[in-house]
Amino acid sequence: MTLFDLSGRTALVTGSSRGLGLAIATGLAEAGASLVLNGVDAARLEARAETLRAKGYSVRTAAFNVADEAAVVAAFEAFDMDDVAVDILVNNAGIQLRKPIVELSTAEWQKVIDTNLTSAFVVGREAAKRMIPRKSGKIVNIGSLTSELARATVAPYTVAKGGIKLLTKSMTAEWAEHGIQVNAIGPGYMITDMNEALINNPQFDAWVKGRTPARRWGKPEELVGTAVYLSSAASNFVSGQIIYVDGGMISVL
Ligand code: GCO
């Protein structure tokens, strides 16, 4: 259906050298988008880009740290110079740090907030500066179950993801009138490198399977349908929403 066709659009997916970001980027390419992959490891990025190009997709790379404002600004200036118009931005980049609050340093707290929340503001701001004159754009922020609920030992991640939910609404408040739709995806417990320690912990694995109505962990590619929807014309009158792709976890006690 042309409603979900991303042909002719360019999608920047931050943190897309692996995990959820790579799965989402691959899915957007399958729907027709040209990709800009982002990460901090240029060699890993280029390797991923080669793999995707071998599938016939249009892929360029932009290696920069989303937590480094100057690097983000420079990246968008380079896009301008190269006539790269970011039509779709997926703010996916993020880190996890599992530690009780009383043991956290302020520097540890700040690093998670900077990478998982402030980066979405900075990259979103730079993308929107270019989308507003074009009167169109799609921004998809990656939240979490922790956008709604807290779990012990992941306070900075939870606060950042809670902020992502309200940043999505704040961006909607200012940018929807300019033809930009801003929404969020809240992944459940997904099989990713970031969650490897949890997956390999029998007690945590049992908890996730018991607490999730679908009784399993999610696969990164299971985010693609929602990501394509929120990146396509199918969602042109949807903004400020967060859609949970979580096997039902957020909906039950
Ligand atoms: C954790 C996990 C979670 C999940 C995801 C849930 O330590 O509890 O890393 O944060 O990754 O965010 O939505």
Side-chain angles (χ1 to χ4, degrees):
M1 289 173 67
T2 55
L3 208 50
F4 295 87
D5 184 359
L6 303 183
S7 301
R9 299 186 188 200
T10 296
L12 166 63
V13 182
T14 64
S16 50
S17 65
R18 60 183 172 180
L20 303 186
L22 179 58
I24 289 171
T26 303
L28 297 182
E30 286 168 0
S34 296
L35 295 181
V36 181
L37 298 184
N38 161 258
V40 292
D41 182 332
R44 184 205 298 257
L45 268 185
E46 195 47 44
R48 297 287 189 254
E50 276 308 306
T51 302
L52 291 169
R53 292 184 191 116
K55 294 181 178 181
Y57 302 136
S58 165
V59 187
R60 63 186 295 144
T61 61
F64 60 88
N65 179 349
V66 294
D68 177 345
E69 180 172 20
V72 173
V73 172
F76 274 84
E77 287 171 351
F79 295 156
D80 295 342
M81 295 293 286
D82 294 344
D83 288 328
V84 174
V86 175
D87 304 296
I88 301 161
L89 167 63
V90 180
N91 277 314
N92 164 78
I95 57 176
Q96 181 58 286
L97 174 64
R98 299 183 182 100
K99 192 180 269 193
I101 294 171
V102 293
E103 296 173 17
L104 268 176
S105 71
T106 307
E108 289 171 321
W109 163 277
Q110 198 60 53
K111 181 175 181 186
V112 177
I113 298 293
D114 288 348
T115 307
N116 293 18
L117 177 58
T118 307
S119 67
F121 149 64
V122 175
V123 181
R125 180 193 69 199
E126 292 309 305
K129 282 180 180 176
R130 281 91 175 162
M131 290 174 174
I132 288 171
R134 297 199 300 263
K135 297 192 180 311
S136 95
K138 296 282 186 179
I139 298 176
V140 182
N141 296 317
I142 302 301
S144 160
L145 292 167
T146 58
S147 294
E148 304 288 351
L149 300 171
R151 178 174 91 76
T153 74
V154 290
Y157 183 97
T158 300
V159 169
K161 292 301 188 180
I164 284 289
K165 178 180 174 183
L166 271 295
L167 177 62
T168 298
K169 296 178 187 293
S170 299
M171 289 173 165
T172 292
E174 296 190 22
W175 297 342
E177 66 186 274
H178 299 294
I180 302 167
Q181 293 82 49
V182 187
N183 292 285
I185 297 174
Y189 278 87
M190 312 300 278
I191 299 169
T192 60
D193 293 347
M194 186 173 82
N195 285 339
E196 187 175 5
L198 305 180
I199 294 164
N200 294 333
N201 177 316
Q203 290 73 31
F204 201 97
D205 176 56
W207 174 77
V208 167
K209 289 171 179 170
R211 181 69 179 74
T212 304
R215 301 288 180 257
R216 64 176 177 86
W217 292 73
K219 296 176 287 230
E221 56 269 25
E222 290 181 296
L223 298 177
V224 167
T226 304
V228 169
Y229 164 63
L230 293 176
S231 300
S232 72
S235 59
N236 279 357
F237 199 52
V238 178
S239 203
Q241 299 301 307
I242 182 164
I243 299 177
Y244 287 95
V245 183
D246 67 349
M249 186 187 260
I250 201 78
S251 300
V252 301
L253 287 175

